[in-house]
């Protein structure tokens, strides 16, 4: 016969669900049930942290740029504004694409905080993971990095800690000199590390005339990768209308080649000639934005040619996250 599970001793206080702290999976559950955490309250916690949030940045200012900085841009920073202002002793909080040693966050000697966006996370909710790292960075000792950890299932999200009305203005850098306050006078070791990181970075520029469109340079050809906020099915229909009409390009020698799907948003991608720099994309991108707005407003059924164009775009779609 199966052994009976040990009963909780009479009189031992039982904690409510809201009071149960997170402990190791094989440790006794803090609720006092006598079972291991993973078989008790840890079961619901594990399910909560692994459930994938399709649009983790939804509701934040600059959602499209959050996606771009997470998936597409090598070196960039954004000044963040917290709800209720900055804590005492923290002069600034800056979002960065990546940090040295793949640190999730860093509290600098002057008390300022750098939060990395491109690190691996432990749960299915990137927003919750980043908010947890940010809160721990705000409380860390100056001059210390913040390590990764398993995030509590009921912790706050970025939407809870950031000011939704504050502007989100990415600054794209040619390299990672923002890692150190005085890059010109850095030690030889730090300079060598910066040089290696800079050599691996793809030159990237944020267009100024449209939202969340990033030009990048590669050895064979250049590209424009444009994160768009429109619902996927509606955007695919609109792109198909333009493609079938021969108006989906950004000018001579350019071609809409497909799209990424990242964090719940679509990212159309154009191939560009090697001679076409970011500045050359500004007017064609603005003109395309006007054509796209007209196509998005159409509710007419797709023609046979437009349906074929849509099928081709769908077949060339790649999911990043």
């Amino acid at each position: 016969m199966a052994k009976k599970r040990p009963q909780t001793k009479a009189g031992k206080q039982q904690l409510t669900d809201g009071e149960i702290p997170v402990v190791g999976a094989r440790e006794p559950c803090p609720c006092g049930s006598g079972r291991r955490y993973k078989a008790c309250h840890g079961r619901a916690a594990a399910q909560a942290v692994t459930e994938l949030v399709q649009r983790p940045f939804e509701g934040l200012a600059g959602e499209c740029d959050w996606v771009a900085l997470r998936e597409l841009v090598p070196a960039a920073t954004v000044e963040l504004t917290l709800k209720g202002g900055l804590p005492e002793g923290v002069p600034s909080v800056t979002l960065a694409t990546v940090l040295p040693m793949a640190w999730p966050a860093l509290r600098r000697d002057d008390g300022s905080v750098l939060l990395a966006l491109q690190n691996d996370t432990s749960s299915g909710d990137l927003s919750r993971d980043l908010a947890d790292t940010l809160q721990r960075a705000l409380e860390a000792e100056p001059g210390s990095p913040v390590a990764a950890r398993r995030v509590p299932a009921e912790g706050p999200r970025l939407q809870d800690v950031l000011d939704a009305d504050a502007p989100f203005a990415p600054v794209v850098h040619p390299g990672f000199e923002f890692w150190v306050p005085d890059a010109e006078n850095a030690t030889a070791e730090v300079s060598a590390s910066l040089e290696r990181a800079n050599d691996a970075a793809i030159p990237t520029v944020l267009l100024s005339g449209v939202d969340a469109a990033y030009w990048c340079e590669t050895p064979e050809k250049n590209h424009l990768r444009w994160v768009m906020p429109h619902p996927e099915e509606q955007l695919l229909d609109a792109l198909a209308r333009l493609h079938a009409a021969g108006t989906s390009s950004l000018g001579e020698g350019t071609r809409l080649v497909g799209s990424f799907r990242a964090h719940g948003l679509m990212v159309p991608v154009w191939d560009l000639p090697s001679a076409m720099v970011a500045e050359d994309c500004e007017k064609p991108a603005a003109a395309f934005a006007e054509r796209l707005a007209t196509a998005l407003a159409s509710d007419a059924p797709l023609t046979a040619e437009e349906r074929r164009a849509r099928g081709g775009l769908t077949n060339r779609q790649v999911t990043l996250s």
Side-chain angles (χ1 to χ4, degrees), residues 163-175:
D163 184 347
D165 297 324
F168 188 82
V171 177
V172 179
H173 303 280

Side-chain angles (χ1 to χ4, degrees), residues 66-321:
W66 278 93
V67 172
L69 267 57
R70 167 71 181 182
E71 300 294 342
L72 306 174
V73 182
T77 56
V78 186
E79 295 298 313
L80 298 180
T81 303
L82 306 186
K83 287 183 179 179
L86 295 168
E88 185 178 355
V90 181
S92 64
V93 174
T94 303
L95 181 72
T97 46
V98 292
L99 291 177
M101 309 297 292
W103 289 326
L106 173 66
R107 181 88 184 271
R108 282 178 159 164
D109 291 336
D110 65 355
S112 60
V113 168
L114 290 176
L115 175 68
L117 181 57
Q118 293 183 9
N119 288 60
D120 292 335
T121 56
S122 61
S123 82
D125 187 351
L126 181 56
S127 177
R128 196 181 308 281
D129 291 333
L130 289 168
D132 178 78
T133 301
L134 173 57
Q135 288 193 317
R136 290 188 292 124
L138 294 172
E139 299 168 357
E141 291 294 326
S144 59
V146 176
R149 74 166 187 178
R150 188 177 66 171
V151 176
E154 300 302 324
R157 308 178 73 237
L158 287 174
Q159 290 81 348
D160 301 317
V161 299
L162 298 183
D163 184 347
D165 297 324
F168 188 82
V171 177
V172 179
H173 303 280
F176 296 93
E177 282 74 17
F178 64 85
W179 281 353
V180 291
D182 187 6
E184 292 184 357
N185 297 317
T187 65
E189 183 180 3
V190 171
S191 296
S193 178
L194 282 174
E195 185 176 357
R196 288 193 298 271
N198 290 344
D199 287 343
I202 297 174
T204 302
V205 177
L206 171 61
L207 300 193
S208 61
V210 294
D211 293 333
Y214 291 80
W215 170 93
C216 67
E217 179 184 13
T218 61
E220 294 184 358
K221 62 184 70 175
N222 299 338
H223 304 279
L224 185 72
R225 301 180 291 190
W226 193 340
V227 187
M228 296 186 172
H230 317 291
E232 181 174 327
E233 296 302 314
Q234 182 185 5
L235 180 54
L236 280 170
D237 283 353
L239 292 174
R241 296 181 196 279
L242 296 178
H243 203 63
T247 57
S248 63
S249 74
L250 299 175
E252 185 178 355
T254 72
R255 185 167 67 99
L256 175 63
V257 292
S259 64
F260 299 119
R261 182 189 291 112
H263 303 291
L265 298 182
M266 270 187 64
V267 188
V269 178
W270 286 262
D271 278 353
L272 311 173
S274 297
M276 190 172 186
V277 298
E279 185 178 358
D280 299 331
C281 296
E282 294 285 1
K283 288 184 178 179
F288 178 84
E290 294 182 0
R291 299 196 299 273
L292 179 63
T294 300
L296 287 167
S298 175
D299 57 1
L302 296 181
T303 65
E305 187 177 359
E306 290 168 346
R307 287 197 300 272
R308 286 193 294 271
R310 193 185 195 280
L313 290 170
T314 302
N315 291 335
R316 296 193 299 274
Q317 191 174 44
V318 176
T319 299
L320 295 181
S321 57

